[in-house]
Amino acid sequence: SFPGHFGEAGSRPVIFNTGQIMHGLVSGYVELNRQECLQAAVKAGRWLVEQQDSDGCWRRSTHNAIPHTYNTRVAWALLRVGLISNEMRFQKAAVQNLNWALTQQTESGWFANNSFIPNRPPFTHTIAYAIRGFLESGLLISEERFIAAAEKAARIMANAQREDGWLAGTFTDGWDTSARYCCLTGLAQMSIIWKRLTQTCAGNEMQLSVKQALDYLKRNHVINGKCAPQDGGIAGSVPIWGEYSRFEYPNWAAKFFADALMMEMTDTTVPRK
């Protein structure tokens, strides 16, 4: 397993962080042929399987000790490792989690149990995590149920986007929002999802949403050339006092923005496999 938060002293193992790092380990193996990366990913996968409940949900070793639908991103990592290593139990466990996550999708296409804190509306960030976990997993194993769940939510998010690219920072069931800020991390993630849909099953229908999102992110990309700590960064929220990652420039916001830019410039996928 891998620790949660930033890995500081006292951090405990967390399901989501372990899955995130497994994606990096897979890239280390696929892109650089580093066998030790695959070995580490397999060890992490075994730990994930051991932590999983019989219904496919992860309830142990989770952030704030609650279940999270956005762990579909972990299922995607587990599935990737399972397919590369031919570990069938990894593939089975991934599908079990995705099946549980499907039970969390409401009639409107929104996902329950998808927040960091109980009874709070999920950030666009975690909604995007849930969507992409479904989409990429469904594409890997040609499972239309998972693809359809992702596409339904992604289309509604595209319809909620303003013409200037802005997207609300949180949504409740029925896709209502009272958020007056944009979660830039989630917007970058959604631009990736919309791009993936244009590459796979939606034609060019969502390309405008991709462009509007990237344009908005570019306008809020900090480039002052003064080598300040925030130079080159993407804030958690705009305005910066918005609820997601308040007054911070999270490295994962810049990471998803970079991924989105590369995908748009080259019409490839990130990660590639």
Side-chain angles (χ1 to χ4, degrees), residues 222-233:
V222 178
I223 304 177
N224 56 30
K226 298 180 181 179
C227 295
Q230 68 271 32
D231 199 12

Short mmCIF file of all heavy atoms in Angstrom, two decimals, residues 222-233:
data_model
loop_
_atom_site.label_atom_id
_atom_site.label_comp_id
_atom_site.label_asym_id
_atom_site.label_seq_id
_atom_site.Cartn_x
_atom_site.Cartn_y
_atom_site.Cartn_z
N VAL A 222 -1.27 30.67 -14.11
CA VAL A 222 -0.38 31.70 -13.57
C VAL A 222 1.00 31.60 -14.24
O VAL A 222 1.73 30.63 -14.03
CB VAL A 222 -0.23 31.57 -12.05
CG1 VAL A 222 0.76 32.62 -11.52
CG2 VAL A 222 -1.58 31.72 -11.37
N ILE A 223 1.32 32.56 -15.07
CA ILE A 223 2.65 32.64 -15.67
C ILE A 223 3.13 34.08 -15.53
O ILE A 223 2.70 34.97 -16.27
CB ILE A 223 2.63 32.26 -17.17
CG1 ILE A 223 2.04 30.85 -17.36
CG2 ILE A 223 4.04 32.31 -17.75
CD1 ILE A 223 1.93 30.42 -18.80
N ASN A 224 4.00 34.30 -14.56
CA ASN A 224 4.51 35.67 -14.36
C ASN A 224 6.01 35.78 -14.58
O ASN A 224 6.57 36.87 -14.59
CB ASN A 224 4.12 36.22 -12.98
CG ASN A 224 4.60 35.33 -11.85
OD1 ASN A 224 5.62 34.67 -11.95
ND2 ASN A 224 3.84 35.32 -10.75
N GLY A 225 6.67 34.63 -14.74
CA GLY A 225 8.10 34.64 -15.05
C GLY A 225 8.98 35.12 -13.93
O GLY A 225 10.17 35.40 -14.14
N LYS A 226 8.45 35.21 -12.73
CA LYS A 226 9.22 35.73 -11.60
C LYS A 226 9.72 34.62 -10.67
O LYS A 226 10.26 34.89 -9.61
CB LYS A 226 8.37 36.73 -10.81
CG LYS A 226 7.95 37.96 -11.61
CD LYS A 226 7.11 38.90 -10.79
CE LYS A 226 6.69 40.12 -11.62
NZ LYS A 226 5.83 41.05 -10.84
N CYS A 227 9.49 33.38 -11.09
CA CYS A 227 9.93 32.22 -10.31
C CYS A 227 9.30 32.19 -8.92
O CYS A 227 9.90 31.67 -7.96
CB CYS A 227 11.44 32.17 -10.19
SG CYS A 227 12.27 31.92 -11.78
N ALA A 228 8.13 32.79 -8.80
CA ALA A 228 7.39 32.70 -7.54
C ALA A 228 6.88 31.27 -7.37
O ALA A 228 6.77 30.53 -8.34
CB ALA A 228 6.23 33.69 -7.55
N PRO A 229 6.55 30.85 -6.15
CA PRO A 229 6.09 29.48 -5.92
C PRO A 229 4.89 29.08 -6.78
O PRO A 229 4.76 27.93 -7.18
CB PRO A 229 5.72 29.46 -4.43
CG PRO A 229 6.57 30.52 -3.83
CD PRO A 229 6.68 31.60 -4.88
N GLN A 230 4.02 30.04 -7.08
CA GLN A 230 2.83 29.74 -7.86
C GLN A 230 3.04 29.87 -9.37
O GLN A 230 2.12 29.60 -10.16
CB GLN A 230 1.65 30.62 -7.42
CG GLN A 230 1.81 32.10 -7.74
CD GLN A 230 2.49 32.88 -6.66
OE1 GLN A 230 3.35 32.35 -5.96
NE2 GLN A 230 2.13 34.16 -6.50
N ASP A 231 4.23 30.28 -9.80
CA ASP A 231 4.47 30.50 -11.23
C ASP A 231 4.30 29.20 -12.01
O ASP A 231 4.94 28.19 -11.70
CB ASP A 231 5.89 31.03 -11.43
CG ASP A 231 6.07 31.71 -12.77
OD1 ASP A 231 5.07 31.97 -13.45
OD2 ASP A 231 7.23 31.99 -13.14
N GLY A 232 3.44 29.22 -13.00
CA GLY A 232 3.13 28.03 -13.78
C GLY A 232 2.02 27.18 -13.20
O GLY A 232 1.65 26.15 -13.76
N GLY A 233 1.46 27.60 -12.07
CA GLY A 233 0.48 26.80 -11.37
C GLY A 233 -0.95 27.04 -11.77
O GLY A 233 -1.29 28.03 -12.42
#
